[in-house]
Amino acid sequence: MNTALSADPSETPCEPQAAAGTAQAPGRSAEQRAAHETNKLSKRLHRQVGAAITDYNMIEQGDKVMVCLSGGKDSYGLLDILLSLRQRAPIDFSIVAVNLDQKQPGFPDHILPAYLKGLGVDFHIENQDTYSIVKRLIPEGKTMCSLCSRLRRGILYRVADELGANKIALGHHRDDFLGTIFLNMFFGGKLKGMPPKLVSDDGRHTVIRPLAYVAETDLERWAEHRQFPIIPCSLCGSQENLQRVQIKNMLREWDRKHPGRIDNMHRAFSQVVPSHLMDRQLFPFETIVPTGLADPAGDKAFDEDEDETCATPTPAPLGEVAVPMEFVRRPRD
């Protein structure tokens, strides 16, 4: 584990979005340029995860954090960065990695134990044949993910209790947050996203998502750099027509054609204006009356629709601001 790297507040917020291979200072070799880009990536990931943990008070003194490890790039990256941050955090907390082996045909059950033993991290492999249950209950050709997810959730809650873990860390990243809100808008008729921190539906656990500020493309690059032993996610059969895959492709295309759009949409999650939506449970539309006092947030009924981006400089993406970095660096004695 590389625990020497920490966030550099002097790093320009816009620089991390540049792809590897961007023009560098003359005289550098290809290896030096690649090392420079990897160094920037590491700093950005550690800073963003540290900022999310701090912003939402995800991890506190004495916590036992159960990191759910699937074998994909996201959960590998989450565990990797949390282990690194723990070395420098100003608080003490413990980590236990948990994998649920659902007995999918072809699942390489030796990979994760070998990897985790090599790290020296506490871990637990839970063996439960949910695959057979899902195959028995879901008709051929139908999506299995919903039932599989519900079964997995209940098992992991139980395992958290048995291990004494009070926090459950999941590897959902920035793009998952955006994908969820669009799925709910397009197919569920709700303006509902994915919370960075919330009490679980059984009321007994706190679920945290420390990768809330992290772009999926950065996790892909980090997985390649760290050479995680990725386990394919298609063991349960091809699911290429899933609605979430369609949303992901849409977001990737937007990001390719309109750089910065994804960051702006993600930032909107934390800048909600309830009075300018339509939810009567969030804003008392039925009871509002004129006060006679000017309010810059009031309705500008005869103006054209506002385009605030034309007048307002775009701030740095979430997690890119010059940091509360107390979670990333342990103060010197």
Side-chain angles (χ1 to χ4, degrees):
M1 303 290 293
N2 185 347
T3 60
L5 294 171
S6 59
D8 181 0
S10 66
E11 183 181 345
T12 305
C14 295
E15 284 184 351
Q17 301 306 318
T22 302
Q24 302 290 335
R28 283 182 172 171
S29 68
E31 291 78 8
Q32 289 173 322
R33 290 195 298 270
H36 176 71
E37 290 298 325
T38 299
N39 186 43
K40 288 202 304 180
L41 174 63
S42 179
K43 289 179 179 180
R44 180 164 67 254
L45 289 171
H46 286 75
R47 181 178 62 250
Q48 289 175 332
V49 174
I53 291 172
T54 300
D55 288 350
Y56 295 96
N57 194 30
M58 292 185 182
I59 300 177
E60 301 172 88
Q61 174 69 32
D63 278 349
K64 185 170 187 178
V65 181
M66 185 177 95
V67 179
C68 298
L69 194 65
S70 66
K73 67 181 189 314
D74 305 331
S75 58
Y76 273 126
L78 173 61
L79 177 63
D80 190 43
I81 296 167
L82 283 182
L83 288 171
S84 179
L85 290 179
R86 186 179 60 171
Q87 301 299 318
R88 289 165 274 168
I91 61 173
D92 293 317
F93 64 96
S94 60
I95 291 174
V96 56
V98 170
N99 169 254
L100 172 58
D101 183 347
Q102 298 176 267
K103 301 306 176 185
Q104 295 166 323
F107 182 78
D109 57 9
H110 64 285
I111 290 180
L112 284 171
Y115 174 77
L116 295 168
K117 287 176 182 176
L119 289 181
V121 64
D122 290 339
F123 72 92
H124 171 76
I125 306 296
E126 180 71 13
N127 293 284
Q128 295 288 336
D129 187 3
T130 63
Y131 178 82
S132 296
I133 298 173
V134 172
K135 291 294 288 184
R136 187 175 71 250
L137 297 178
I138 301 297
E140 191 68 29
K142 297 294 184 179
T143 300
M144 300 182 288
C145 298
S146 178
L147 176 58
C148 181
S149 177
R150 291 198 300 273
L151 293 172
R152 183 170 64 246
R153 184 168 66 244
I155 293 168
L156 290 173
Y157 286 169
R158 172 180 58 76
V159 171
D161 285 336
E162 292 173 354
L163 296 177
N166 64 318
K167 299 286 176 67
I168 299 175
L170 304 179
H172 297 119
H173 46 69
R174 181 200 69 177
D175 301 63
D176 289 324
F177 280 58
L178 287 168
T180 298
I181 202 167
F182 279 109
L183 277 171
N184 283 320
M185 287 175 62
F186 293 170
F187 305 108
K190 293 181 180 180
L191 190 61
K192 178 183 177 182
M194 182 181 285
K197 176 185 176 183
L198 199 65
V199 173
S200 60
D201 58 353
D202 68 355
R204 303 200 312 270
H205 311 88
T206 301
V207 178
I208 60 175
R209 295 177 170 90
L211 300 180
Y213 295 165
V214 175
E216 183 176 22
T217 51
D218 279 350
L219 289 167
E220 290 169 352
R221 290 176 56 201
W222 189 245
E224 183 178 358
H225 166 66
R226 298 292 282 165
Q227 297 184 319
F228 297 138
I230 302 297
I231 297 173
C233 61
S234 58
L235 294 172
C236 54
S238 176
Q239 303 281 299
E240 286 301 316
N241 293 320
L242 287 176
Q243 293 166 340
R244 184 172 288 277
V245 173
Q246 298 174 35
I247 296 293
K248 176 179 177 178
N249 292 337
M250 178 188 76
L251 292 173
R252 286 288 178 103
E253 183 67 9
W254 281 355
D255 198 35
R256 185 182 68 82
K257 290 183 176 179
H258 308 282
R261 174 179 288 185
I262 302 301
D263 286 329
N264 284 332
M265 290 192 298
H266 187 241
R267 190 180 304 112
F269 282 6
S270 61
Q271 301 187 51
V272 178
V273 184
S275 64
H276 287 53
L277 297 174
M278 297 175 64
D279 192 332
R280 290 175 293 155
Q281 297 184 49
L282 295 180
F283 192 80
F285 295 101
E286 305 94 325
T287 60
I288 58 174
V289 295
T291 64
L293 301 175
D295 182 357
D299 199 305
K300 299 176 176 63
F302 302 102
D303 288 0
E304 294 292 331
D305 290 341
E306 294 180 348
D307 184 359
E308 296 180 357
T309 59
C310 294
T312 306
T314 301
L318 286 170
E320 295 289 340
V321 293
V323 224
M325 283 319 297
E326 63 268 20
F327 209 94
V328 174
R329 281 201 185 96
R330 185 189 294 274
R332 293 181 181 275
D333 294 332

